[in-house]
Amino acid sequence: MKTNENLLNSIGKSIRMWRDNCFPPFQRAYGTWLLVLVSVNAGIWFYITSDWSVQFVGNIAGLLVFPMLGRKVFTKRARSWQEELDIKLAKGFVE
């Protein structure tokens, strides 16, 4: 019974967020991790060397590589609210 209640609460929360035009979970997680990784990459390059050309190349490489890696990591996540709700509804209810 507790499982059904948790599932219904989760579905209700997703519907409210969809109605309020919030970003889907995929976009929120992807954007957050991308920002963190790019910031850490920049910090590491600034700490390692004081040569601006090496920092520039390292930061540009990070800006190109991390979005591609992020897409690979987050491919299994739902990309829209419709997919998110389909996944939750497919779990079904326990009797």
Side-chain angles (χ1 to χ4, degrees), residues 11-63:
I11 291 171
K13 181 181 175 186
S14 293
I15 290 172
R16 284 188 300 278
M17 291 178 77
W18 185 11
R19 185 181 52 218
D20 293 339
N21 292 326
C22 295
F23 288 114
F26 167 79
Q27 292 177 349
R28 285 183 295 160
Y30 178 71
T32 302
W33 281 108
L34 184 60
L35 180 65
V36 167
L37 289 175
V38 168
S39 300
V40 168
N41 178 52
I44 289 171
W45 282 109
F46 287 128
Y47 180 76
I48 289 177
T49 182
S50 62
D51 185 16
W52 70 270
S53 60
V54 175
Q55 291 175 356
F56 181 75
V57 170
N59 286 323
I60 295 298
L63 287 172

